[in-house]
Amino acid sequence: MMGHGKAGTDKSEGGSSSALKGILLGALSVIVLAVVIGGMVIWLGIYKWGWENQVTDLAIRSLSLPIAEVNGSEIKYADFMDDVATLERFFDNQVAEGMPAEAVPTEQEMRENAFAKLVFGEVLKQEAAEYGVEVTDEDVEAEYAKLIEQSGGEEEVEAELELLYGWDAETFKEKVLMPFLMQKKLTEKLMEDEAFGSASKEKVQGLVDRIKAGEDFSELAKEFSEDPGSGAAGGDLGWFGRGVMVSEFETVAFALQPGELSDIVETQFGYHIILVDEIEEAEGEITRVKARHILISAANVEEYLEGKEGEAEVNKLIEI
């Protein structure tokens, strides 16, 4: 009797346990199915229907979803959203400070601008890697320290970044200083490439020959110089003392006599032709020079990267 009763109890508990498992598994499958379907709907919403709301924003950021591929490398959707928001904030501030509303780009123009910037940035990264260019944290911190020194202190810089862009210092370093230094280092690397710089060197040598043959220096500077500051003024740099120009330029300029033309001078900016107009001396030493120059960039990295951007395989995953 006792044995029979026990056996009956086990059977009852076993049936109850099986039923409970069935209920739990059924509920779980419903939850999983809902998550899967919900995920598919959000995925379609983002990539097919162009949804942008709090739910899709969370998915985009938490899953690091891409917005496009550039030569197989992903551009993050979250970066695109952040850059669009930055542009919107910037122009809101400009309008508050008096910019006419009609001068503000449309939302579509801002989106296209943000996307183009990200594509250009990815091409820059790829070319930098191709040439072995690396920007270290130390490089970025040193550049930021220089900016702070030139701009009145860290608090002032951080306040301006927050006001204009909604950025903290780290975001500024990542979005501005890192690509700036990368492009600068890539320029220096390309200038070491004789094949890359040969056309520029031939161009500047042709200008030297024309000046020596009697053509007007200032007119040639207006037509050909790639220095945006002095080119339109016929290459005129005005008066400058020691310590103002980069060392290679200064050494040659202070060694020339009035009316004397330099050979080709190479600096980090490219190739220069220098013509000294006047000098000032004190105790037999030249203290100031008045000069003109023509600059031909050795490595026009902007044009180079724009060409690479045009060649890049860009696969957009959504309509911008």
Side-chain angles (χ1 to χ4, degrees):
M1 291 288 294
M2 293 292 293
H4 180 75
K6 179 69 175 173
T9 302
D10 287 345
K11 184 176 180 181
S12 175
E13 288 176 353
S16 175
S17 175
S18 297
L20 179 60
K21 285 181 181 178
I23 292 170
L24 291 174
L25 287 171
L28 181 61
S29 66
V30 170
I31 293 170
V32 170
L33 184 61
V35 169
V36 170
I37 292 174
M40 289 175 61
V41 170
I42 290 173
W43 191 275
L44 286 170
I46 292 170
Y47 285 109
K48 187 171 182 179
W49 302 317
W51 288 357
E52 288 184 7
N53 53 47
Q54 289 182 331
V55 174
T56 57
D57 181 80
L58 180 62
I60 286 165
R61 294 181 187 281
S62 61
L63 300 177
S64 295
L65 296 180
I67 192 172
E69 295 175 345
V70 179
N71 295 326
S73 295
E74 292 182 349
I75 293 177
K76 299 302 180 189
Y77 203 147
D79 291 337
F80 170 74
M81 293 167 61
D82 288 343
D83 285 358
V84 171
T86 295
L87 286 172
E88 290 172 346
R89 182 187 182 105
F90 174 79
F91 283 107
D92 284 346
N93 275 303
Q94 296 304 298
V95 170
E97 292 183 6
M99 174 185 276
E102 57 271 21
V104 176
T106 65
E107 181 180 351
Q108 181 60 29
E109 287 171 337
M110 283 191 261
R111 290 173 67 87
E112 290 171 359
N113 181 283
F115 183 76
K117 173 181 170 292
L118 288 168
V119 172
F120 184 86
E122 183 55 40
V123 171
L124 171 61
K125 287 180 191 174
Q126 292 174 11
E127 287 303 303
E130 183 73 20
Y131 278 86
V133 169
E134 182 181 1
V135 178
T136 65
D137 291 341
E138 290 76 13
D139 294 331
V140 174
E141 292 302 327
E143 192 67 28
Y144 186 61
K146 283 198 297 186
L147 177 66
I148 288 172
E149 185 178 348
Q150 295 165 359
S151 305
E154 188 167 11
E155 287 186 8
E156 186 170 338
V157 170
E158 290 181 352
E160 195 71 11
L161 289 174
E162 172 60 32
L163 174 66
L164 290 176
Y165 308 111
W167 289 347
D168 58 18
E170 294 307 311
T171 303
F172 173 70
K173 291 172 189 175
E174 176 189 347
K175 289 185 174 291
V176 176
L177 292 187
M178 179 69 78
F180 166 75
L181 291 171
M182 188 174 292
Q183 185 162 330
K184 181 180 177 183
K185 286 192 171 190
L186 180 59
T187 299
E188 292 167 356
K189 203 73 167 178
L190 288 170
M191 285 182 68
E192 297 171 4
D193 186 339
E194 289 187 10
F196 190 90
S198 61
S200 296
K201 202 159 188 177
E202 289 173 8
K203 182 177 180 179
V204 77
Q205 183 59 59
L207 291 172
V208 169
D209 295 341
R210 290 172 68 174
I211 294 164
K212 288 182 176 179
E215 292 194 47
D216 185 80
F217 186 100
S218 293
E219 291 304 315
L220 290 173
K222 288 177 184 178
E223 184 175 355
F224 294 105
S225 182
E226 296 173 8
D227 178 358
S230 71
D236 187 15
L237 296 169
W239 287 96
F240 55 90
R242 294 185 183 274
V244 176
M245 303 298 182
V246 291
S247 60
E248 301 92 339
F249 190 100
E250 178 185 295
T251 298
V252 174
F254 278 78
L256 296 172
Q257 293 300 310
E260 189 175 1
L261 186 72
S262 74
D263 291 326
I264 297 172
V265 179
E266 185 175 350
T267 73
Q268 67 193 67
F269 302 105
Y271 300 111
H272 308 256
I273 312 166
I274 306 170
L275 178 63
V276 168
D277 293 318
E278 298 179 56
I279 60 174
E280 283 185 357
E281 295 181 271
E283 299 179 356
E285 182 180 344
I286 297 175
T287 56
R288 290 207 307 162
V289 167
K290 187 175 188 295
R292 288 173 280 166
H293 86 138
I294 296 173
L295 169 66
I296 302 298
S297 299
N300 192 327
V301 178
E302 288 285 348
E303 288 184 7
Y304 174 78
L305 289 173
E306 285 169 6
K308 289 295 181 180
E309 185 180 1
E311 297 170 5
E313 184 178 338
V314 180
N315 177 29
K316 292 183 185 178
L317 302 178
I318 69 160
E319 286 300 318
I320 303 303

